[in-house]
Amino acid sequence: MSKPDFTLEQSIHAQGFLRVAGVDEVGRGPLAGPVTAAAVILNPAHIPEGLNDSKKLTPKRRAALLDALLETAEVSVAHASVEEIDTHNILRASHIAMLRAIEGLPTPPDYALIDGSMIPNGMTIPAQAVVKGDALSLSIAAASIAAKITRDLLMVELAQQFPGYGWDRNAGYPSKQHREALQNLGVTPHHRRSFKPVHNILYQD
């Protein structure tokens, strides 16, 4: 399997855009919790070894890489809330989180590489959508790591406030335990009411 590299970033640097942010989100599929995005600008002279799509890394490796990124790169993480997911829809909410992550960088980037097939509405800088970007671009892979770790930790915190749903293990995704807890314990303030399994419990005949 090929691993992400810095080719895309270098081609954009060659066009005169020196501060290229990789942007990725996590948490579109869960029934609970926010959707989380990260934006990362790598330092070309200090790229941590082993960056890859967060899903292909062990939790220990992800944590080590995030520590290295926080020392060498610019990293910004942002969320869109359950309310925003229910108000807009999950795609728009994930784009809101992406825009917030970009805006949260210490210095604005010149260019953004967005994981996926769409550039969010409201982008104020040049951008390119990259399908399966976390497997192609080191900057997007770095963003996938920062977003996943941040969201997973948040769901562990929420699991302590709302035990029984298994969010510390399933991160809000519809695991068997989570679906059974929805039936037995009901819907929490952190559940996405627009998502069918939650909606169906709220509006049972």
Side-chain angles (χ1 to χ4, degrees):
M1 283 290 287
S2 62
K3 290 189 174 177
D5 60 31
F6 209 56
T7 308
L8 206 48
E9 290 88 340
Q10 286 168 331
S11 69
I12 295 162
H13 292 162
Q15 297 169 43
F17 302 104
L18 299 182
R19 295 176 50 75
V20 179
V23 187
D24 198 7
E25 51 70 33
V26 67
R28 278 170 63 164
L31 304 180
V35 61
T36 302
V40 176
I41 301 176
L42 293 173
N43 178 342
H46 298 283
I47 299 175
E49 277 293 316
L51 287 175
N52 204 340
D53 173 0
S54 66
K55 296 184 287 296
K56 296 176 182 169
L57 300 167
T58 64
K60 188 176 177 183
R61 190 78 191 104
R62 278 197 296 266
L65 283 165
L66 181 58
D67 287 345
L69 287 167
L70 292 172
E71 287 181 14
T72 60
E74 294 175 46
V75 180
S76 168
V77 182
H79 309 280
S81 68
V82 167
E83 291 77 17
E84 287 171 317
I85 292 167
D86 288 339
T87 300
H88 299 287
N89 64 47
I90 186 59
L91 176 63
R92 179 62 189 144
S94 66
H95 285 173
I96 290 168
M98 284 179 166
L99 292 170
R100 285 177 180 153
I102 293 167
E103 286 162 10
L105 286 164
T107 311
D110 304 321
Y111 197 102
L113 292 170
I114 308 286
D115 184 61
S117 59
M118 294 175 68
I119 294 170
N121 289 335
M123 286 287 294
T124 56
I125 57 171
Q128 179 180 338
V130 187
V131 175
K132 293 193 172 23
D134 43 14
L136 297 170
S137 154
L138 284 172
S139 300
I140 296 176
S144 80
I145 292 167
K148 178 163 176 53
I149 289 179
T150 303
R151 189 178 185 282
D152 284 355
L153 288 173
L154 176 65
M155 294 310 293
V156 169
E157 284 178 30
L158 293 180
Q160 292 166 357
Q161 298 170 36
F162 293 89
Y165 298 88
W167 293 343
D168 51 328
R169 293 184 299 282
N170 61 43
Y173 283 86
S175 68
K176 184 170 183 281
Q177 179 188 6
H178 190 180
R179 293 195 311 272
E180 287 176 355
L182 260 177
Q183 290 287 350
N184 299 329
L185 302 175
V187 176
T188 73
H190 297 290
H191 277 105
R192 302 173 179 182
R193 282 154 169 71
S194 57
F195 277 44
K196 200 169 182 180
V198 181
H199 183 272
N200 289 351
I201 286 169
L202 284 170
Y203 300 102
Q204 284 171 341
D205 291 332

